[in-house]
Short mmCIF file of all heavy atoms in Angstrom, two decimals:
data_model
loop_
_atom_site.label_atom_id
_atom_site.label_comp_id
_atom_site.label_asym_id
_atom_site.label_seq_id
_atom_site.Cartn_x
_atom_site.Cartn_y
_atom_site.Cartn_z
N MET A 1 67.36 124.44 83.32
CA MET A 1 68.38 123.43 83.60
C MET A 1 68.08 122.74 84.94
O MET A 1 67.77 123.40 85.92
CB MET A 1 69.75 124.09 83.72
CG MET A 1 70.35 124.48 82.44
SD MET A 1 71.71 123.38 82.14
CE MET A 1 71.81 123.57 80.41
N ALA A 2 68.24 121.45 84.94
CA ALA A 2 68.05 120.68 86.16
C ALA A 2 69.34 120.71 86.98
O ALA A 2 70.44 120.81 86.43
CB ALA A 2 67.67 119.25 85.83
N ALA A 3 69.21 120.62 88.29
CA ALA A 3 70.38 120.60 89.17
C ALA A 3 71.10 119.27 89.02
O ALA A 3 70.49 118.24 88.73
CB ALA A 3 69.94 120.79 90.62
N LYS A 4 72.40 119.32 89.19
CA LYS A 4 73.21 118.11 89.10
C LYS A 4 72.92 117.22 90.31
O LYS A 4 72.83 117.71 91.43
CB LYS A 4 74.69 118.51 89.09
CG LYS A 4 75.63 117.38 88.84
CD LYS A 4 77.04 117.89 88.73
CE LYS A 4 78.02 116.77 88.69
NZ LYS A 4 79.39 117.26 88.68
N ALA A 5 72.80 115.92 90.06
CA ALA A 5 72.51 114.98 91.15
C ALA A 5 73.73 114.83 92.06
O ALA A 5 74.86 114.89 91.61
CB ALA A 5 72.14 113.62 90.58
N LYS A 6 73.48 114.64 93.35
CA LYS A 6 74.57 114.43 94.30
C LYS A 6 75.06 112.99 94.20
O LYS A 6 74.28 112.07 93.93
CB LYS A 6 74.10 114.70 95.73
CG LYS A 6 73.93 116.17 96.02
CD LYS A 6 73.73 116.39 97.50
CE LYS A 6 73.68 117.87 97.79
NZ LYS A 6 73.56 118.13 99.20
N ALA A 7 76.34 112.82 94.44
CA ALA A 7 76.92 111.48 94.41
C ALA A 7 76.36 110.64 95.54
O ALA A 7 76.01 111.15 96.60
CB ALA A 7 78.44 111.57 94.54
N ARG A 8 76.30 109.35 95.30
CA ARG A 8 75.77 108.44 96.31
C ARG A 8 76.79 108.19 97.42
O ARG A 8 76.45 107.89 98.56
CB ARG A 8 75.42 107.13 95.62
CG ARG A 8 74.57 106.26 96.47
CD ARG A 8 74.22 105.00 95.76
NE ARG A 8 74.09 104.02 96.83
CZ ARG A 8 73.35 102.96 96.79
NH1 ARG A 8 72.71 102.67 95.72
NH2 ARG A 8 73.29 102.16 97.81
N THR A 9 78.07 108.31 97.09
CA THR A 9 79.12 108.08 98.07
C THR A 9 79.90 109.36 98.34
O THR A 9 79.93 110.27 97.52
CB THR A 9 80.11 107.00 97.59
OG1 THR A 9 80.68 107.41 96.36
CG2 THR A 9 79.43 105.66 97.43
N LEU A 10 80.53 109.40 99.51
CA LEU A 10 81.40 110.50 99.91
C LEU A 10 82.81 109.97 100.10
O LEU A 10 82.99 108.83 100.52
CB LEU A 10 80.95 111.08 101.26
CG LEU A 10 79.66 111.85 101.33
CD1 LEU A 10 79.34 112.14 102.79
CD2 LEU A 10 79.77 113.14 100.56
N ILE A 11 83.80 110.81 99.84
CA ILE A 11 85.18 110.46 100.18
C ILE A 11 85.47 111.12 101.53
O ILE A 11 85.26 112.32 101.71
CB ILE A 11 86.16 110.96 99.11
CG1 ILE A 11 85.88 110.24 97.80
CG2 ILE A 11 87.59 110.71 99.56
CD1 ILE A 11 86.68 110.76 96.65
N VAL A 12 85.91 110.32 102.50
CA VAL A 12 86.15 110.83 103.84
C VAL A 12 87.54 110.43 104.30
O VAL A 12 88.15 109.49 103.77
CB VAL A 12 85.10 110.30 104.85
CG1 VAL A 12 83.72 110.82 104.53
CG2 VAL A 12 85.10 108.79 104.89
N ARG A 13 88.05 111.16 105.28
CA ARG A 13 89.33 110.82 105.91
C ARG A 13 89.07 110.20 107.26
O ARG A 13 88.24 110.70 108.02
CB ARG A 13 90.15 112.09 106.13
CG ARG A 13 90.96 112.48 104.96
CD ARG A 13 91.86 113.63 105.31
NE ARG A 13 92.74 113.90 104.18
CZ ARG A 13 93.57 114.90 104.11
NH1 ARG A 13 93.66 115.75 105.09
NH2 ARG A 13 94.32 115.07 103.05
N LEU A 14 89.79 109.14 107.56
CA LEU A 14 89.79 108.55 108.89
C LEU A 14 91.07 109.05 109.56
O LEU A 14 92.17 108.69 109.14
CB LEU A 14 89.76 107.03 108.83
CG LEU A 14 88.50 106.42 108.22
CD1 LEU A 14 88.63 104.91 108.13
CD2 LEU A 14 87.27 106.79 109.01
N ILE A 15 90.93 109.89 110.58
CA ILE A 15 92.07 110.53 111.23
C ILE A 15 92.37 109.83 112.55
O ILE A 15 91.47 109.52 113.33
CB ILE A 15 91.78 112.02 111.47
CG1 ILE A 15 91.56 112.70 110.12
CG2 ILE A 15 92.90 112.69 112.23
CD1 ILE A 15 91.27 114.16 110.21
N SER A 16 93.65 109.61 112.81
CA SER A 16 94.10 108.91 114.01
C SER A 16 93.78 109.72 115.26
O SER A 16 94.03 110.92 115.34
CB SER A 16 95.61 108.68 113.93
OG SER A 16 96.10 108.17 115.14
N THR A 17 93.25 109.03 116.27
CA THR A 17 92.98 109.69 117.56
C THR A 17 94.24 109.79 118.41
O THR A 17 94.22 110.40 119.47
CB THR A 17 91.90 108.94 118.35
OG1 THR A 17 92.31 107.59 118.51
CG2 THR A 17 90.56 109.00 117.65
N ALA A 18 95.36 109.20 117.93
CA ALA A 18 96.64 109.34 118.63
C ALA A 18 97.27 110.71 118.31
O ALA A 18 98.35 111.02 118.79
CB ALA A 18 97.59 108.22 118.23
N GLN A 19 96.59 111.49 117.47
CA GLN A 19 97.01 112.85 117.10
C GLN A 19 98.40 112.88 116.49
O GLN A 19 99.20 113.76 116.79
CB GLN A 19 96.89 113.79 118.29
CG GLN A 19 95.45 113.95 118.71
CD GLN A 19 95.28 114.65 120.03
OE1 GLN A 19 96.23 114.78 120.79
NE2 GLN A 19 94.08 115.09 120.30
N THR A 20 98.66 111.90 115.62
CA THR A 20 99.93 111.86 114.91
C THR A 20 99.83 112.55 113.56
O THR A 20 100.84 112.77 112.91
CB THR A 20 100.36 110.40 114.69
OG1 THR A 20 99.33 109.74 113.94
CG2 THR A 20 100.61 109.69 115.99
N GLY A 21 98.61 112.83 113.12
CA GLY A 21 98.41 113.42 111.80
C GLY A 21 98.26 112.38 110.71
O GLY A 21 98.01 112.72 109.56
N PHE A 22 98.38 111.11 111.05
CA PHE A 22 98.24 110.05 110.07
C PHE A 22 96.76 109.82 109.78
O PHE A 22 95.92 109.92 110.67
CB PHE A 22 98.87 108.75 110.59
CG PHE A 22 98.96 107.68 109.54
CD1 PHE A 22 99.94 107.72 108.57
CD2 PHE A 22 98.04 106.66 109.52
CE1 PHE A 22 100.02 106.74 107.60
CE2 PHE A 22 98.10 105.67 108.55
CZ PHE A 22 99.09 105.72 107.59
N PHE A 23 96.44 109.53 108.51
CA PHE A 23 95.05 109.30 108.13
C PHE A 23 94.94 108.29 107.01
O PHE A 23 95.90 108.02 106.29
CB PHE A 23 94.38 110.61 107.70
CG PHE A 23 94.98 111.23 106.47
CD1 PHE A 23 94.50 110.91 105.21
CD2 PHE A 23 96.03 112.12 106.57
CE1 PHE A 23 95.06 111.47 104.07
CE2 PHE A 23 96.60 112.69 105.44
CZ PHE A 23 96.11 112.36 104.19
N TYR A 24 93.77 107.67 106.91
CA TYR A 24 93.39 106.83 105.79
C TYR A 24 92.28 107.55 105.04
O TYR A 24 91.51 108.29 105.65
CB TYR A 24 92.84 105.48 106.27
CG TYR A 24 93.87 104.54 106.85
CD1 TYR A 24 94.08 104.48 108.22
CD2 TYR A 24 94.60 103.71 106.03
CE1 TYR A 24 95.02 103.61 108.76
CE2 TYR A 24 95.54 102.83 106.55
CZ TYR A 24 95.73 102.79 107.92
OH TYR A 24 96.67 101.94 108.44
N THR A 25 92.19 107.33 103.74
CA THR A 25 91.11 107.89 102.93
C THR A 25 90.25 106.73 102.46
O THR A 25 90.77 105.71 102.02
CB THR A 25 91.67 108.64 101.71
OG1 THR A 25 92.59 109.62 102.17
CG2 THR A 25 90.56 109.34 100.96
N THR A 26 88.91 106.89 102.57
CA THR A 26 88.01 105.83 102.16
C THR A 26 86.70 106.43 101.69
O THR A 26 86.49 107.64 101.77
CB THR A 26 87.79 104.84 103.32
OG1 THR A 26 87.05 103.72 102.84
CG2 THR A 26 87.04 105.48 104.47
N GLN A 27 85.82 105.58 101.18
CA GLN A 27 84.49 106.01 100.75
C GLN A 27 83.45 105.44 101.68
O GLN A 27 83.64 104.38 102.27
CB GLN A 27 84.18 105.48 99.34
CG GLN A 27 84.90 106.18 98.25
CD GLN A 27 84.42 105.70 96.89
OE1 GLN A 27 83.98 104.56 96.75
NE2 GLN A 27 84.50 106.56 95.91
N ARG A 28 82.33 106.17 101.79
CA ARG A 28 81.18 105.62 102.50
C ARG A 28 79.92 106.14 101.85
O ARG A 28 79.95 107.13 101.11
CB ARG A 28 81.22 105.99 103.98
CG ARG A 28 80.89 107.44 104.28
CD ARG A 28 80.49 107.61 105.74
NE ARG A 28 80.33 108.99 106.09
CZ ARG A 28 79.18 109.66 105.97
NH1 ARG A 28 78.10 109.07 105.51
NH2 ARG A 28 79.11 110.94 106.31
N LEU A 29 78.80 105.52 102.12
CA LEU A 29 77.53 105.98 101.58
C LEU A 29 77.14 107.31 102.21
O LEU A 29 77.37 107.54 103.39
CB LEU A 29 76.43 104.95 101.85
CG LEU A 29 76.54 103.63 101.08
CD1 LEU A 29 75.46 102.68 101.53
CD2 LEU A 29 76.46 103.88 99.59
N ARG A 30 76.56 108.17 101.41
CA ARG A 30 76.15 109.50 101.90
C ARG A 30 75.14 109.38 103.03
O ARG A 30 75.17 110.12 104.00
CB ARG A 30 75.55 110.30 100.74
CG ARG A 30 75.20 111.72 101.09
CD ARG A 30 74.68 112.46 99.89
NE ARG A 30 75.69 112.76 98.90
CZ ARG A 30 76.50 113.81 98.95
NH1 ARG A 30 76.43 114.66 99.94
NH2 ARG A 30 77.39 114.00 98.01
N GLN A 31 74.23 108.42 102.93
CA GLN A 31 73.17 108.26 103.93
C GLN A 31 73.61 107.41 105.13
O GLN A 31 72.89 107.30 106.10
CB GLN A 31 71.94 107.60 103.28
CG GLN A 31 71.31 108.45 102.21
CD GLN A 31 70.76 109.76 102.75
OE1 GLN A 31 70.19 109.79 103.83
NE2 GLN A 31 70.96 110.83 102.01
N GLY A 32 74.78 106.81 105.05
CA GLY A 32 75.22 105.90 106.10
C GLY A 32 75.70 106.62 107.34
O GLY A 32 75.88 107.84 107.35
N PRO A 33 75.96 105.89 108.40
CA PRO A 33 76.48 106.49 109.64
C PRO A 33 77.95 106.90 109.48
O PRO A 33 78.64 106.44 108.57
CB PRO A 33 76.35 105.36 110.66
CG PRO A 33 76.43 104.12 109.84
CD PRO A 33 75.79 104.45 108.52
N LYS A 34 78.42 107.76 110.37
CA LYS A 34 79.82 108.18 110.35
C LYS A 34 80.71 106.98 110.67
O LYS A 34 80.35 106.13 111.47
CB LYS A 34 80.07 109.29 111.37
CG LYS A 34 79.35 110.57 111.02
CD LYS A 34 80.21 111.75 111.37
CE LYS A 34 79.50 113.03 111.03
NZ LYS A 34 80.08 113.72 109.92
N LEU A 35 81.86 106.95 110.02
CA LEU A 35 82.76 105.81 110.19
C LEU A 35 83.72 106.01 111.36
O LEU A 35 84.13 107.13 111.66
CB LEU A 35 83.62 105.62 108.94
CG LEU A 35 82.93 105.12 107.68
CD1 LEU A 35 83.95 105.03 106.56
CD2 LEU A 35 82.30 103.78 107.92
N SER A 36 84.05 104.92 112.00
CA SER A 36 85.16 104.87 112.94
C SER A 36 85.68 103.44 112.89
O SER A 36 84.91 102.50 112.71
CB SER A 36 84.72 105.25 114.36
OG SER A 36 83.77 104.34 114.83
N ALA A 37 86.99 103.29 113.01
CA ALA A 37 87.59 101.97 112.89
C ALA A 37 88.90 101.93 113.66
O ALA A 37 89.56 102.96 113.83
CB ALA A 37 87.84 101.64 111.42
N VAL A 38 89.26 100.73 114.11
CA VAL A 38 90.55 100.53 114.75
C VAL A 38 91.49 100.03 113.67
O VAL A 38 91.28 98.98 113.08
CB VAL A 38 90.45 99.53 115.91
CG1 VAL A 38 91.82 99.25 116.49
CG2 VAL A 38 89.52 100.05 116.98
N LYS A 39 92.51 100.84 113.37
CA LYS A 39 93.46 100.52 112.31
C LYS A 39 94.87 100.80 112.80
O LYS A 39 95.06 101.39 113.85
CB LYS A 39 93.16 101.34 111.05
CG LYS A 39 91.81 100.99 110.42
CD LYS A 39 91.48 101.85 109.25
CE LYS A 39 92.10 101.44 107.96
NZ LYS A 39 91.79 100.12 107.47
N TYR A 40 95.84 100.39 111.99
CA TYR A 40 97.25 100.53 112.36
C TYR A 40 97.74 101.95 112.06
O TYR A 40 97.54 102.47 110.98
CB TYR A 40 98.08 99.51 111.59
CG TYR A 40 99.54 99.54 111.95
CD1 TYR A 40 99.99 99.00 113.16
CD2 TYR A 40 100.48 100.09 111.10
CE1 TYR A 40 101.33 99.02 113.49
CE2 TYR A 40 101.83 100.11 111.42
CZ TYR A 40 102.24 99.57 112.62
OH TYR A 40 103.56 99.60 112.95
N ASP A 41 98.40 102.56 113.05
CA ASP A 41 99.04 103.87 112.88
C ASP A 41 100.55 103.65 112.92
O ASP A 41 101.11 103.35 113.97
CB ASP A 41 98.61 104.82 114.00
CG ASP A 41 99.10 106.24 113.79
OD1 ASP A 41 100.09 106.43 113.06
OD2 ASP A 41 98.50 107.16 114.36
N PRO A 42 101.23 103.77 111.76
CA PRO A 42 102.66 103.47 111.72
C PRO A 42 103.52 104.48 112.49
O PRO A 42 104.66 104.17 112.82
CB PRO A 42 102.99 103.51 110.23
CG PRO A 42 101.93 104.33 109.63
CD PRO A 42 100.70 104.12 110.45
N VAL A 43 103.00 105.65 112.80
CA VAL A 43 103.79 106.64 113.54
C VAL A 43 104.02 106.17 114.98
O VAL A 43 105.12 106.27 115.51
CB VAL A 43 103.10 108.03 113.51
CG1 VAL A 43 103.90 109.05 114.28
CG2 VAL A 43 102.89 108.49 112.07
N VAL A 44 102.97 105.65 115.61
CA VAL A 44 103.10 105.14 116.98
C VAL A 44 103.28 103.63 117.02
O VAL A 44 103.41 103.03 118.09
CB VAL A 44 101.90 105.56 117.86
CG1 VAL A 44 101.90 107.03 118.11
CG2 VAL A 44 100.59 105.10 117.28
N LYS A 45 103.26 103.00 115.84
CA LYS A 45 103.47 101.55 115.69
C LYS A 45 102.49 100.71 116.50
O LYS A 45 102.88 99.76 117.17
CB LYS A 45 104.91 101.18 116.04
CG LYS A 45 105.91 101.83 115.13
CD LYS A 45 107.31 101.45 115.51
CE LYS A 45 108.29 102.15 114.57
NZ LYS A 45 109.61 102.26 115.13
N ARG A 46 101.23 101.09 116.46
CA ARG A 46 100.19 100.30 117.12
C ARG A 46 98.84 100.58 116.50
O ARG A 46 98.68 101.50 115.71
CB ARG A 46 100.16 100.56 118.62
CG ARG A 46 99.87 101.99 118.99
CD ARG A 46 99.81 102.21 120.47
NE ARG A 46 100.82 101.43 121.12
CZ ARG A 46 100.89 101.21 122.42
NH1 ARG A 46 100.03 101.75 123.23
NH2 ARG A 46 101.85 100.47 122.93
N ARG A 47 97.86 99.76 116.88
CA ARG A 47 96.50 99.95 116.38
C ARG A 47 95.79 100.97 117.26
O ARG A 47 95.83 100.86 118.49
CB ARG A 47 95.75 98.61 116.40
CG ARG A 47 96.28 97.65 115.35
CD ARG A 47 95.84 96.23 115.59
NE ARG A 47 94.41 96.10 115.75
CZ ARG A 47 93.58 95.77 114.76
NH1 ARG A 47 94.05 95.52 113.58
NH2 ARG A 47 92.28 95.67 114.99
N VAL A 48 95.18 101.96 116.64
CA VAL A 48 94.45 103.00 117.38
C VAL A 48 93.12 103.26 116.69
O VAL A 48 92.89 102.82 115.56
CB VAL A 48 95.26 104.32 117.48
CG1 VAL A 48 96.54 104.13 118.25
CG2 VAL A 48 95.53 104.89 116.11
N LEU A 49 92.25 104.00 117.37
CA LEU A 49 90.96 104.36 116.81
C LEU A 49 91.12 105.49 115.80
O LEU A 49 91.80 106.48 116.07
CB LEU A 49 90.01 104.79 117.94
CG LEU A 49 88.61 105.19 117.51
CD1 LEU A 49 87.86 103.99 116.94
CD2 LEU A 49 87.85 105.78 118.67
N PHE A 50 90.50 105.32 114.65
CA PHE A 50 90.45 106.36 113.63
C PHE A 50 89.01 106.80 113.49
O PHE A 50 88.11 105.97 113.45
CB PHE A 50 90.94 105.81 112.27
CG PHE A 50 92.44 105.69 112.17
CD1 PHE A 50 93.11 104.68 112.81
CD2 PHE A 50 93.15 106.60 111.42
CE1 PHE A 50 94.48 104.56 112.70
CE2 PHE A 50 94.53 106.50 111.31
CZ PHE A 50 95.19 105.49 111.96
N VAL A 51 88.76 108.11 113.45
CA VAL A 51 87.41 108.65 113.32
C VAL A 51 87.31 109.48 112.05
O VAL A 51 88.28 110.03 111.56
CB VAL A 51 87.00 109.48 114.55
CG1 VAL A 51 86.87 108.62 115.78
CG2 VAL A 51 87.97 110.62 114.78
N GLU A 52 86.09 109.60 111.56
CA GLU A 52 85.84 110.26 110.28
C GLU A 52 85.87 111.77 110.37
O GLU A 52 85.38 112.36 111.33
CB GLU A 52 84.48 109.82 109.75
CG GLU A 52 84.09 110.52 108.48
CD GLU A 52 82.70 110.19 108.04
OE1 GLU A 52 82.23 109.06 108.25
OE2 GLU A 52 82.06 111.09 107.47
N SER A 53 86.43 112.38 109.35
CA SER A 53 86.25 113.81 109.11
C SER A 53 86.15 113.97 107.60
O SER A 53 86.57 113.10 106.85
CB SER A 53 87.41 114.64 109.65
OG SER A 53 88.51 114.58 108.79
N LYS A 54 85.59 115.09 107.15
CA LYS A 54 85.44 115.29 105.72
C LYS A 54 86.80 115.48 105.06
O LYS A 54 87.70 116.06 105.64
CB LYS A 54 84.58 116.51 105.45
CG LYS A 54 83.13 116.19 105.51
CD LYS A 54 82.31 117.24 104.81
CE LYS A 54 80.87 116.80 104.77
NZ LYS A 54 79.96 117.87 104.91
N LYS A 55 86.93 114.98 103.85
CA LYS A 55 88.17 115.17 103.09
C LYS A 55 88.20 116.61 102.61
O LYS A 55 87.24 117.12 102.07
CB LYS A 55 88.22 114.23 101.90
CG LYS A 55 89.51 114.35 101.13
CD LYS A 55 89.58 113.33 100.04
CE LYS A 55 90.89 113.43 99.30
NZ LYS A 55 91.17 114.71 98.74
N THR A 56 89.32 117.30 102.86
CA THR A 56 89.45 118.68 102.43
C THR A 56 90.14 118.74 101.08
O THR A 56 90.97 117.90 100.76
CB THR A 56 90.26 119.51 103.45
OG1 THR A 56 91.53 118.88 103.62
CG2 THR A 56 89.55 119.56 104.78
N LYS A 57 89.78 119.74 100.29
CA LYS A 57 90.43 119.90 98.98
C LYS A 57 91.76 120.57 99.14
O LYS A 57 91.96 121.40 100.02
CB LYS A 57 89.53 120.72 98.07
CG LYS A 57 88.27 120.00 97.71
CD LYS A 57 87.54 120.69 96.61
CE LYS A 57 86.31 119.87 96.25
NZ LYS A 57 85.65 120.35 95.09
N LYS A 58 92.70 120.21 98.28
CA LYS A 58 94.03 120.82 98.34
C LYS A 58 94.04 122.13 97.58
O LYS A 58 93.35 122.34 96.65
CB LYS A 58 95.07 119.88 97.75
CG LYS A 58 95.40 118.77 98.69
CD LYS A 58 96.65 118.07 98.25
CE LYS A 58 97.13 117.16 99.35
NZ LYS A 58 98.34 116.50 99.04
#
C-alpha cells in the first residue's frame, strides 16, 4: 500500500496578540511562510496583530 498524500493546504488559526482569546480560521499553503495579519478584534474593538498557530482538533 502506498502512503496517503499530504494535503497541499493547512488549516490554521490566527490568534489575537491582544490575548483576548479571539481567533480567525484560515487556510494557507503547506510550503508557504507562517501567516500574520492585522485584523479586527471585536473583544477590544480595535485592529490588532494576529499570528498563526496550528488548528487544534476538538
Side-chain angles (χ1 to χ4, degrees):
M1 284 251 158
K4 186 175 171 185
K6 286 191 175 183
R8 195 179 149 153
T9 59
L10 290 172
I11 296 174
V12 295
R13 274 187 174 174
L14 295 176
I15 298 180
S16 173
T17 56
Q19 295 169 345
T20 58
F22 189 78
F23 64 90
Y24 289 95
T25 305
T26 188
Q27 285 187 332
R28 73 161 173 89
L29 291 175
R30 185 177 289 276
Q31 296 297 320
K34 293 218 181 250
L35 290 179
S36 62
V38 176
K39 295 176 82 60
Y40 183 75
D41 187 337
V43 179
V44 291
K45 298 180 181 158
R46 60 179 39 193
R47 290 164 53 96
V48 297
L49 180 65
F50 283 75
V51 293
E52 176 186 326
S53 79
K54 277 199 174 144
K55 183 175 181 304
T56 57
K57 293 192 177 188
K58 284 194 168 182

